[in-house]
Amino acid sequence: MSAVVVIPAAGEGLRLGFSMPKAFVPLAGSPLLVHVIRLFERIKHIQGIVIVSPPGYEDFCRNEIAEKNGFSKIVDIVPGGNKRSESVNNGLNVVSDKTDLVLIHDAARPFVTVTLIEKLMSSAVKWGAAIPAVPVIPTIKSENNRGFVIETVDRRNLREIQTPQVFKTELIKKAYAAGDIESEAGTDDAYFLEKAGIPVRIVEGERENFKITTKIDLRIAEMMIRKKKQS
Ligand code: C5P
């Protein structure tokens, strides 16, 4: 089986309080993106890694990320777009149709495990599309534009969606080609399959696989790494 991972890494770091792109923000001394690539380099069934770089940082990715760390699976570095979906689309464009599976993983999720990735790949082979999810824990309400509650949402069927999202190549390419990649609603990749009427299988995700978005997330991530080193 052949598999390629596309890593959208073109987002900004503003919510983290950094002026540099989020994927280059240091975590325990290495850019977030390096943590993520290191993991996929270790997975036997993944032959290629496509980095979607912040526009203008392609050489930085080549020299400071790929070469400096001796990564051997990076097959392409392409510039991203204004939205995550545009970035992913640029990455998908360089994936060969002959590849069996495409994994799409946020550069901002450094704690995904090999076990979860392999579970998702097996599920995608069986079902065509597989995404990780965890139950929503907090109470969720909708708010009107005057600052009052509209209603409480029944959370029993709600799921918080993670990455990597794994797809048969023909399905994800077909879904992106048919979709409106500038849509505000397209915040993950499975969205485009849903719009195209293609079933998406949910696999139980991992709480540790959270997305680093805010300063507190980064502090928690630093603590998690320190703890892992101690144990
Ligand atoms: O913005 P958000 O937190 O949803 O970003 C998730 C992932 O998508 C991050 O890895 C980020 O670098 C990437 N992204 C991108 N291009 C954008 C926006 C986000 O590659 N225009």
Short mmCIF file of all heavy atoms in Angstrom, two decimals, residues 75-129:
data_model
loop_
_atom_site.label_atom_id
_atom_site.label_comp_id
_atom_site.label_asym_id
_atom_site.label_seq_id
_atom_site.Cartn_x
_atom_site.Cartn_y
_atom_site.Cartn_z
N VAL A 75 8.69 14.87 -0.09
CA VAL A 75 8.73 14.76 -1.55
C VAL A 75 8.40 16.09 -2.22
O VAL A 75 8.73 16.32 -3.38
CB VAL A 75 7.76 13.67 -2.07
CG1 VAL A 75 8.33 12.29 -1.77
CG2 VAL A 75 6.37 13.80 -1.46
N ASP A 76 7.71 16.99 -1.51
CA ASP A 76 7.34 18.27 -2.11
C ASP A 76 7.11 19.32 -1.04
O ASP A 76 6.65 18.98 0.07
CB ASP A 76 6.02 18.11 -2.90
CG ASP A 76 6.22 18.33 -4.38
OD1 ASP A 76 6.77 19.38 -4.73
OD2 ASP A 76 5.82 17.44 -5.16
N ILE A 77 7.42 20.57 -1.38
CA ILE A 77 7.11 21.70 -0.49
C ILE A 77 6.38 22.71 -1.37
O ILE A 77 6.95 23.20 -2.36
CB ILE A 77 8.40 22.31 0.10
CG1 ILE A 77 9.14 21.27 0.97
CG2 ILE A 77 8.08 23.56 0.92
CD1 ILE A 77 10.54 21.66 1.39
N VAL A 78 5.10 22.94 -1.06
CA VAL A 78 4.31 23.84 -1.92
C VAL A 78 3.78 24.99 -1.06
O VAL A 78 3.60 24.83 0.14
CB VAL A 78 3.12 23.09 -2.58
CG1 VAL A 78 3.61 21.99 -3.51
CG2 VAL A 78 2.17 22.50 -1.55
N PRO A 79 3.53 26.16 -1.68
CA PRO A 79 3.02 27.28 -0.89
C PRO A 79 1.54 27.11 -0.55
O PRO A 79 0.78 26.53 -1.33
CB PRO A 79 3.23 28.49 -1.82
CG PRO A 79 3.27 27.91 -3.19
CD PRO A 79 3.78 26.50 -3.08
N GLY A 80 1.13 27.62 0.61
CA GLY A 80 -0.27 27.54 1.03
C GLY A 80 -1.10 28.69 0.50
O GLY A 80 -0.60 29.55 -0.24
N GLY A 81 -2.36 28.70 0.89
CA GLY A 81 -3.28 29.76 0.46
C GLY A 81 -3.83 30.51 1.66
O GLY A 81 -3.35 30.34 2.78
N ASN A 82 -4.88 31.31 1.42
CA ASN A 82 -5.44 32.14 2.50
C ASN A 82 -6.21 31.32 3.52
O ASN A 82 -6.28 31.67 4.68
CB ASN A 82 -6.38 33.20 1.92
CG ASN A 82 -5.60 34.24 1.18
OD1 ASN A 82 -4.45 34.53 1.54
ND2 ASN A 82 -6.19 34.79 0.12
N LYS A 83 -6.84 30.25 3.05
CA LYS A 83 -7.62 29.39 3.95
C LYS A 83 -6.95 28.02 4.03
O LYS A 83 -6.26 27.61 3.10
CB LYS A 83 -9.02 29.19 3.40
CG LYS A 83 -9.89 30.42 3.45
CD LYS A 83 -11.35 30.00 3.34
CE LYS A 83 -12.26 31.10 3.76
NZ LYS A 83 -12.15 32.28 2.91
N ARG A 84 -7.23 27.30 5.13
CA ARG A 84 -6.68 25.95 5.28
C ARG A 84 -7.03 25.09 4.06
O ARG A 84 -6.19 24.35 3.55
CB ARG A 84 -7.22 25.32 6.56
CG ARG A 84 -6.66 23.95 6.87
CD ARG A 84 -7.38 23.30 8.04
NE ARG A 84 -6.84 21.98 8.35
CZ ARG A 84 -7.11 20.88 7.67
NH1 ARG A 84 -7.93 20.93 6.64
NH2 ARG A 84 -6.58 19.73 8.02
N SER A 85 -8.29 25.17 3.62
CA SER A 85 -8.73 24.32 2.50
C SER A 85 -7.95 24.64 1.21
O SER A 85 -7.66 23.73 0.43
CB SER A 85 -10.23 24.48 2.27
OG SER A 85 -10.55 25.84 2.23
N GLU A 86 -7.61 25.91 1.02
CA GLU A 86 -6.82 26.27 -0.17
C GLU A 86 -5.41 25.68 -0.05
O GLU A 86 -4.83 25.20 -1.03
CB GLU A 86 -6.75 27.79 -0.32
CG GLU A 86 -8.10 28.40 -0.63
CD GLU A 86 -8.12 29.93 -0.55
OE1 GLU A 86 -7.11 30.53 -0.16
OE2 GLU A 86 -9.15 30.51 -0.88
N SER A 87 -4.88 25.70 1.16
CA SER A 87 -3.54 25.13 1.40
C SER A 87 -3.57 23.63 1.12
O SER A 87 -2.70 23.10 0.42
CB SER A 87 -3.11 25.37 2.85
OG SER A 87 -2.97 26.74 3.10
N VAL A 88 -4.57 22.94 1.67
CA VAL A 88 -4.66 21.49 1.46
C VAL A 88 -4.81 21.19 -0.03
O VAL A 88 -4.17 20.27 -0.56
CB VAL A 88 -5.83 20.88 2.28
CG1 VAL A 88 -6.05 19.42 1.89
CG2 VAL A 88 -5.55 21.01 3.78
N ASN A 89 -5.64 21.97 -0.71
CA ASN A 89 -5.84 21.75 -2.14
C ASN A 89 -4.52 21.85 -2.91
O ASN A 89 -4.24 21.02 -3.77
CB ASN A 89 -6.84 22.78 -2.67
CG ASN A 89 -7.34 22.44 -4.04
OD1 ASN A 89 -7.73 21.29 -4.30
ND2 ASN A 89 -7.28 23.39 -4.95
N ASN A 90 -3.69 22.82 -2.55
CA ASN A 90 -2.36 22.94 -3.20
C ASN A 90 -1.52 21.70 -2.94
O ASN A 90 -0.79 21.24 -3.82
CB ASN A 90 -1.61 24.18 -2.67
CG ASN A 90 -2.28 25.47 -3.11
OD1 ASN A 90 -3.21 25.46 -3.89
ND2 ASN A 90 -1.79 26.59 -2.58
N GLY A 91 -1.63 21.15 -1.73
CA GLY A 91 -0.89 19.93 -1.40
C GLY A 91 -1.42 18.74 -2.19
O GLY A 91 -0.64 17.95 -2.74
N LEU A 92 -2.74 18.62 -2.25
CA LEU A 92 -3.34 17.48 -2.97
C LEU A 92 -2.95 17.48 -4.45
O LEU A 92 -2.81 16.43 -5.07
CB LEU A 92 -4.87 17.53 -2.86
CG LEU A 92 -5.46 17.17 -1.49
CD1 LEU A 92 -6.98 17.38 -1.50
CD2 LEU A 92 -5.13 15.72 -1.12
N ASN A 93 -2.78 18.68 -5.00
CA ASN A 93 -2.45 18.78 -6.43
C ASN A 93 -1.12 18.11 -6.79
O ASN A 93 -0.92 17.76 -7.95
CB ASN A 93 -2.39 20.26 -6.87
CG ASN A 93 -3.79 20.83 -7.01
OD1 ASN A 93 -4.76 20.07 -7.19
ND2 ASN A 93 -3.92 22.15 -6.94
N VAL A 94 -0.23 17.94 -5.82
CA VAL A 94 1.06 17.30 -6.15
C VAL A 94 1.11 15.83 -5.72
O VAL A 94 2.13 15.17 -5.83
CB VAL A 94 2.27 18.07 -5.54
CG1 VAL A 94 2.34 19.48 -6.10
CG2 VAL A 94 2.23 18.08 -4.02
N VAL A 95 -0.02 15.31 -5.22
CA VAL A 95 -0.07 13.88 -4.85
C VAL A 95 -0.49 13.09 -6.09
O VAL A 95 -1.50 13.41 -6.73
CB VAL A 95 -1.07 13.64 -3.69
CG1 VAL A 95 -1.22 12.15 -3.40
CG2 VAL A 95 -0.63 14.38 -2.43
N SER A 96 0.27 12.06 -6.40
CA SER A 96 -0.02 11.24 -7.58
C SER A 96 -1.33 10.48 -7.41
O SER A 96 -1.63 9.98 -6.31
CB SER A 96 1.13 10.25 -7.79
OG SER A 96 0.69 9.16 -8.57
N ASP A 97 -2.09 10.35 -8.51
CA ASP A 97 -3.34 9.58 -8.48
C ASP A 97 -3.08 8.12 -8.15
O ASP A 97 -3.98 7.39 -7.76
CB ASP A 97 -4.04 9.65 -9.85
CG ASP A 97 -4.53 11.05 -10.14
OD1 ASP A 97 -4.55 11.87 -9.21
OD2 ASP A 97 -4.88 11.33 -11.31
N LYS A 98 -1.84 7.71 -8.34
CA LYS A 98 -1.50 6.28 -8.10
C LYS A 98 -1.33 5.97 -6.61
O LYS A 98 -1.26 4.81 -6.22
CB LYS A 98 -0.22 5.92 -8.83
CG LYS A 98 -0.39 5.91 -10.33
CD LYS A 98 0.84 5.31 -11.00
CE LYS A 98 0.74 5.44 -12.50
NZ LYS A 98 1.84 6.24 -13.07
N THR A 99 -1.24 7.01 -5.78
CA THR A 99 -1.10 6.80 -4.33
C THR A 99 -2.41 6.23 -3.80
O THR A 99 -3.49 6.72 -4.15
CB THR A 99 -0.82 8.16 -3.63
OG1 THR A 99 0.29 8.76 -4.28
CG2 THR A 99 -0.54 8.00 -2.16
N ASP A 100 -2.34 5.20 -2.94
CA ASP A 100 -3.58 4.60 -2.43
C ASP A 100 -4.28 5.51 -1.43
O ASP A 100 -5.47 5.77 -1.54
CB ASP A 100 -3.27 3.25 -1.75
CG ASP A 100 -2.73 2.24 -2.74
OD1 ASP A 100 -3.29 2.16 -3.84
OD2 ASP A 100 -1.74 1.56 -2.42
N LEU A 101 -3.52 5.97 -0.42
CA LEU A 101 -4.14 6.76 0.66
C LEU A 101 -3.48 8.12 0.81
O LEU A 101 -2.25 8.24 0.67
CB LEU A 101 -3.99 6.05 2.00
CG LEU A 101 -4.79 4.78 2.29
CD1 LEU A 101 -4.52 4.32 3.73
CD2 LEU A 101 -6.28 4.99 2.09
N VAL A 102 -4.29 9.12 1.12
CA VAL A 102 -3.76 10.44 1.50
C VAL A 102 -4.16 10.71 2.95
O VAL A 102 -5.34 10.57 3.31
CB VAL A 102 -4.31 11.57 0.62
CG1 VAL A 102 -3.73 12.91 1.06
CG2 VAL A 102 -4.01 11.35 -0.84
N LEU A 103 -3.17 11.06 3.76
CA LEU A 103 -3.45 11.51 5.13
C LEU A 103 -3.28 13.02 5.13
O LEU A 103 -2.37 13.55 4.48
CB LEU A 103 -2.45 10.93 6.13
CG LEU A 103 -2.45 9.42 6.37
CD1 LEU A 103 -1.69 8.68 5.28
CD2 LEU A 103 -1.82 9.10 7.72
N ILE A 104 -4.15 13.72 5.85
CA ILE A 104 -4.00 15.17 5.97
C ILE A 104 -3.92 15.48 7.46
O ILE A 104 -4.84 15.13 8.22
CB ILE A 104 -5.17 15.90 5.29
CG1 ILE A 104 -5.24 15.48 3.81
CG2 ILE A 104 -5.00 17.42 5.41
CD1 ILE A 104 -6.48 15.93 3.07
N HIS A 105 -2.80 16.09 7.86
CA HIS A 105 -2.58 16.31 9.30
C HIS A 105 -2.11 17.72 9.59
O HIS A 105 -1.14 18.20 8.99
CB HIS A 105 -1.56 15.30 9.84
CG HIS A 105 -1.40 15.38 11.32
ND1 HIS A 105 -2.42 15.06 12.20
CD2 HIS A 105 -0.36 15.79 12.11
CE1 HIS A 105 -2.01 15.25 13.46
NE2 HIS A 105 -0.77 15.70 13.43
N ASP A 106 -2.79 18.38 10.54
CA ASP A 106 -2.41 19.74 10.94
C ASP A 106 -1.01 19.77 11.53
O ASP A 106 -0.68 18.95 12.40
CB ASP A 106 -3.36 20.25 12.04
CG ASP A 106 -4.76 20.49 11.56
OD1 ASP A 106 -4.95 20.69 10.34
OD2 ASP A 106 -5.68 20.50 12.41
N ALA A 107 -0.23 20.78 11.12
CA ALA A 107 1.11 20.97 11.71
C ALA A 107 1.00 21.29 13.20
O ALA A 107 1.97 21.17 13.94
CB ALA A 107 1.83 22.08 10.98
N ALA A 108 -0.18 21.71 13.63
CA ALA A 108 -0.35 22.16 15.01
C ALA A 108 -0.80 21.05 15.96
O ALA A 108 -1.23 21.32 17.08
CB ALA A 108 -1.38 23.30 15.04
N ARG A 109 -0.71 19.78 15.53
CA ARG A 109 -1.09 18.65 16.40
C ARG A 109 0.11 17.71 16.56
O ARG A 109 0.18 16.67 15.90
CB ARG A 109 -2.28 17.88 15.81
CG ARG A 109 -3.58 18.65 15.81
CD ARG A 109 -4.71 17.77 15.28
NE ARG A 109 -5.90 18.54 15.02
CZ ARG A 109 -6.87 18.74 15.90
NH1 ARG A 109 -6.81 18.21 17.09
NH2 ARG A 109 -7.92 19.47 15.56
N PRO A 110 1.04 18.06 17.46
CA PRO A 110 2.26 17.26 17.56
C PRO A 110 2.12 15.98 18.40
O PRO A 110 3.05 15.20 18.44
CB PRO A 110 3.24 18.22 18.25
CG PRO A 110 2.38 19.14 19.04
CD PRO A 110 1.08 19.26 18.30
N PHE A 111 0.95 15.76 19.05
CA PHE A 111 0.85 14.63 19.97
C PHE A 111 0.06 13.45 19.43
O PHE A 111 -0.34 12.57 20.18
CB PHE A 111 0.26 15.08 21.31
CG PHE A 111 1.15 16.06 22.03
CD1 PHE A 111 0.71 17.35 22.28
CD2 PHE A 111 2.43 15.70 22.41
CE1 PHE A 111 1.53 18.27 22.93
CE2 PHE A 111 3.26 16.61 23.06
CZ PHE A 111 2.81 17.90 23.32
N VAL A 112 -0.17 13.43 18.12
CA VAL A 112 -0.87 12.27 17.55
C VAL A 112 0.04 11.05 17.70
O VAL A 112 1.26 11.16 17.66
CB VAL A 112 -1.25 12.54 16.07
CG1 VAL A 112 -0.03 12.71 15.19
CG2 VAL A 112 -2.13 11.42 15.54
N THR A 113 -0.57 9.88 17.92
CA THR A 113 0.25 8.68 18.13
C THR A 113 0.27 7.79 16.88
O THR A 113 -0.65 7.84 16.05
CB THR A 113 -0.29 7.84 19.31
OG1 THR A 113 -1.61 7.39 18.95
CG2 THR A 113 -0.32 8.62 20.60
N VAL A 114 1.30 6.95 16.82
CA VAL A 114 1.41 6.00 15.71
C VAL A 114 0.20 5.06 15.73
O VAL A 114 -0.36 4.71 14.69
CB VAL A 114 2.74 5.20 15.83
CG1 VAL A 114 2.82 4.10 14.79
CG2 VAL A 114 3.94 6.14 15.71
N THR A 115 -0.25 4.68 16.94
CA THR A 115 -1.41 3.77 17.07
C THR A 115 -2.64 4.38 16.40
O THR A 115 -3.34 3.71 15.63
CB THR A 115 -1.72 3.53 18.57
OG1 THR A 115 -0.52 3.15 19.21
CG2 THR A 115 -2.78 2.48 18.76
N LEU A 116 -2.91 5.66 16.68
CA LEU A 116 -4.09 6.30 16.10
C LEU A 116 -3.94 6.40 14.57
O LEU A 116 -4.89 6.14 13.82
CB LEU A 116 -4.33 7.69 16.72
CG LEU A 116 -5.52 8.46 16.17
CD1 LEU A 116 -6.83 7.68 16.35
CD2 LEU A 116 -5.66 9.83 16.82
N ILE A 117 -2.76 6.77 14.12
CA ILE A 117 -2.55 6.91 12.67
C ILE A 117 -2.80 5.57 11.98
O ILE A 117 -3.50 5.50 10.96
CB ILE A 117 -1.11 7.41 12.37
CG1 ILE A 117 -0.92 8.83 12.93
CG2 ILE A 117 -0.83 7.39 10.86
CD1 ILE A 117 0.52 9.30 12.95
N GLU A 118 -2.28 4.49 12.56
CA GLU A 118 -2.45 3.18 11.92
C GLU A 118 -3.91 2.72 11.96
O GLU A 118 -4.40 2.13 11.01
CB GLU A 118 -1.50 2.17 12.58
CG GLU A 118 -0.06 2.50 12.19
CD GLU A 118 1.00 1.58 12.76
OE1 GLU A 118 0.70 0.81 13.70
OE2 GLU A 118 2.13 1.64 12.28
N LYS A 119 -4.59 3.06 13.05
CA LYS A 119 -6.02 2.71 13.15
C LYS A 119 -6.82 3.43 12.05
O LYS A 119 -7.68 2.86 11.39
CB LYS A 119 -6.53 3.17 14.53
CG LYS A 119 -7.40 2.19 15.23
CD LYS A 119 -7.62 2.45 16.72
CE LYS A 119 -7.90 3.84 17.17
NZ LYS A 119 -8.32 4.01 18.55
N LEU A 120 -6.49 4.69 11.85
CA LEU A 120 -7.18 5.49 10.83
C LEU A 120 -6.88 4.97 9.42
O LEU A 120 -7.78 4.92 8.57
CB LEU A 120 -6.77 6.96 10.94
CG LEU A 120 -7.36 7.69 12.14
CD1 LEU A 120 -6.51 8.90 12.53
CD2 LEU A 120 -8.80 8.13 11.85
N MET A 121 -5.65 4.56 9.20
CA MET A 121 -5.29 4.06 7.86
C MET A 121 -6.04 2.77 7.57
O MET A 121 -6.58 2.60 6.47
CB MET A 121 -3.77 3.87 7.76
CG MET A 121 -3.03 5.21 7.71
SD MET A 121 -1.23 5.05 7.74
CE MET A 121 -0.88 4.53 6.07
N SER A 122 -6.13 1.87 8.54
CA SER A 122 -6.87 0.62 8.33
C SER A 122 -8.33 0.91 8.05
O SER A 122 -8.95 0.30 7.17
CB SER A 122 -6.84 -0.29 9.56
OG SER A 122 -5.56 -0.49 9.98
N SER A 123 -8.87 1.85 8.79
CA SER A 123 -10.28 2.19 8.62
C SER A 123 -10.54 2.82 7.24
O SER A 123 -11.56 2.56 6.61
CB SER A 123 -10.68 3.14 9.75
OG SER A 123 -12.04 3.21 9.86
N ALA A 124 -9.59 3.64 6.79
CA ALA A 124 -9.76 4.28 5.47
C ALA A 124 -9.65 3.25 4.34
O ALA A 124 -10.32 3.38 3.31
CB ALA A 124 -8.72 5.39 5.28
N VAL A 125 -8.82 2.22 4.55
CA VAL A 125 -8.73 1.17 3.53
C VAL A 125 -10.09 0.49 3.41
O VAL A 125 -10.59 0.21 2.33
CB VAL A 125 -7.63 0.14 3.91
CG1 VAL A 125 -7.74 -1.12 3.07
CG2 VAL A 125 -6.25 0.77 3.77
N LYS A 126 -10.74 0.29 4.57
CA LYS A 126 -12.04 -0.41 4.58
C LYS A 126 -13.19 0.49 4.10
O LYS A 126 -14.03 0.07 3.31
CB LYS A 126 -12.30 -0.90 6.01
CG LYS A 126 -13.52 -1.74 6.15
CD LYS A 126 -13.52 -2.47 7.48
CE LYS A 126 -14.82 -3.24 7.63
NZ LYS A 126 -15.03 -3.64 9.02
N TRP A 127 -13.24 1.72 4.60
CA TRP A 127 -14.40 2.57 4.38
C TRP A 127 -14.20 3.68 3.35
O TRP A 127 -15.15 4.36 2.98
CB TRP A 127 -14.84 3.21 5.70
CG TRP A 127 -15.20 2.23 6.77
CD1 TRP A 127 -14.41 1.84 7.82
CD2 TRP A 127 -16.41 1.46 6.88
NE1 TRP A 127 -15.05 0.90 8.59
CE2 TRP A 127 -16.29 0.64 8.04
CE3 TRP A 127 -17.59 1.38 6.12
CZ2 TRP A 127 -17.29 -0.24 8.44
CZ3 TRP A 127 -18.58 0.50 6.53
CH2 TRP A 127 -18.42 -0.28 7.69
N GLY A 128 -12.98 3.94 2.98
CA GLY A 128 -12.71 5.02 2.00
C GLY A 128 -12.30 6.33 2.64
O GLY A 128 -11.50 7.07 2.10
N ALA A 129 -12.88 6.63 3.82
CA ALA A 129 -12.57 7.89 4.50
C ALA A 129 -12.71 7.67 6.00
O ALA A 129 -13.71 7.13 6.45
CB ALA A 129 -13.54 8.97 4.06
#
